Amino acid sequence: MTHRLALRADLLDFTADPGFEAVAEAAGVRFRPDHWLLVEGGRIVGAQPATASDDGPDASWRRIDHQGRLILPGFIDTHVHSPQLDVIASHGAALLDWLARYTFPAEQRYADPAVAAAGAARFVDALFAHGTTAAVVFPTVHKVSAETLFAAAQRRGMRLITGKVLMDTNAPEGLRDDVENAERDCTELIARWHGRDRLAYAVTVRFAGTSTREQLAMAGRLCASHPGVYMQTHVAENTDEVRWIAGLFPEARSYLDVYERHGLLHPRAVLAHGIWLDDRDRVLLHERGAQIAFCPSSNLFLGSGLFDWQATADAGVAVSMASDVGGGTSLSMSRTLADGYKVQSLRGLRLSAWKLLHAATRGAAQALGLAAEIGSLDAGCVADLTVWDWAVGPVAMHRDSLANSLHERVFAWMTLGDERNLVVTCVAGEPVYQRA
Ligand code: GUN
Ligand code: ZN
């Protein structure tokens, strides 16, 4: 008999994008207080109210009672760097200086297979310990860093999208590849990992500054010849960076246009930041079906700027949420959402908790083409889910007790909560993290 699991808690997920305005009666919000969530063979099969008169699911179900807690779909972090746990919280630099002073030296160590394997395991387990069950990840330029990350995710049954970083110029010794070897490595990695279990390959162009035109063209060829693969990169994060790229690629209309010219923009392209794009760039993103990963913690920490979510959404471009550790300072997506709220506040936009949570769950899944698998508590989805305390500590508990509406409660959870609220993380119905 297949393994049957029933989890009792308040269930919160989304059936559609709740949009920018609505707080009280937002469409697409699905809250099912005190329900049993039913999981069979690692997939969600349904839910039923846990009413007092009802004994709940029968004895064929293994029941775990989290009454009074919150169950959410596992978070999806659409842009994060596995080796940068080694440099998270490094002081005093904007992007280009930060890369040179902290990040590149740390990434050099990942040439060592033992460092890469230990780093991959540490990273994946840290995601789980923050409630993230799926991620789009940058390892390093070294083939072994992608291999070990795929292997670590595979062992844990995790949904992961990654690929060897491409960088063949403007990077220090030990962090540069070349077109021919990189193409061979990528081709081998795609053959070995793409579509295997829950893994997918992303052609990973670090950014326009660290790839030659020849390498960008090769990356475009890889996307064209392997239609299912993703592409991930950075774009228009920092004004000094934008000026530098304009000098490197004078033929391009804009930073984004560098990627367009090399065939890198398509519906599986995930571009981090996009702070300094213009309207024509946003139209182009929409035409190509490419998406933006909004990284508020990183944008604040590195002082990069305030992403224009409204203009991006108005152009019809999908926006998801991302930690961008180690530019970002936490793997916690609830902290990331709280930072997203603050960044948008500085632009005059007061986002609802619904909009933010949707962008870190179902919205991200939809943008990645994975909504049938992850991002919600729909029957049929893989049971990647998280169990949370509504409040931890005297301030949050006090605030929670005074909440007068569901949105008020969820917004306080998002703003005051973090990984200390996390009780259990499940991947395909199996616990991969449990609070001590
Ligand atoms: N641009 C190029 N590389 C990086 C990186 O590692 N982090 C961030 N935030 N931006 C980048
Ligand atoms: Zn990044």
Side-chain angles (χ1 to χ4, degrees), residues 79-81 84 98 138 233-234 237 272-273 295 298 324-325 327:
H79 180 81
V80 57
H81 298 254
Q84 294 181 14
W98 175 84
F138 271 64
T233 192
H234 298 88
E237 176 178 2
H273 309 296
C295 310
S298 170
D324 192 29
V325 161

Side-chain angles (χ1 to χ4, degrees), residues 112-136:
D112 179 344
V115 171
R122 182 190 314 117
F123 172 75
V124 168
D125 288 334
L127 288 181
F128 295 153
H130 289 77
T132 296
T133 52
V136 186

Side-chain angles (χ1 to χ4, degrees), residues 81-88 90 102 106-107 109-110 115 119 122 325:
H81 298 254
S82 53
Q84 294 181 14
L85 288 183
D86 301 6
V87 294
I88 188 171
S90 290
Y102 300 115
E107 293 189 9
R109 298 173 53 237
Y110 282 69
V115 171
R122 182 190 314 117
V325 161

Side-chain angles (χ1 to χ4, degrees), residues 272-356:
H273 309 296
I275 297 167
W276 304 102
L277 300 174
D278 64 15
D279 285 340
R280 280 180 69 182
D281 290 325
R282 286 185 278 262
V283 168
L284 179 60
L285 284 174
H286 170 65
E287 285 173 356
R288 295 291 171 265
Q291 59 192 283
I292 292 286
F294 171 33
C295 310
S297 169
S298 170
N299 299 162
L300 292 168
F301 186 71
L302 296 177
S304 302
L306 306 175
F307 169 66
D308 193 339
W309 191 336
Q310 182 82 65
T312 309
D314 288 349
V317 178
V319 175
S320 57
M321 300 298 301
S323 70
D324 192 29
V325 161
T329 54
S330 174
L331 289 176
S332 160
M333 292 305 289
S334 56
R335 288 192 193 210
T336 301
L337 302 185
D339 283 341
Y341 178 82
K342 294 170 194 171
V343 166
Q344 294 309 310
S345 281
L346 283 166
R347 299 198 64 98
L349 182 66
R350 311 288 165 171
L351 294 173
S352 67
W354 310 135
K355 179 70 181 172
L356 288 152

Side-chain angles (χ1 to χ4, degrees), residues 30-50:
R30 178 165 57 185
F31 185 63
R32 290 172 285 183
D34 199 16
H35 272 59
W36 289 101
L37 182 69
L38 306 176
V39 175
E40 193 165 0
R43 288 189 183 264
I44 295 164
V45 293
Q48 62 185 60

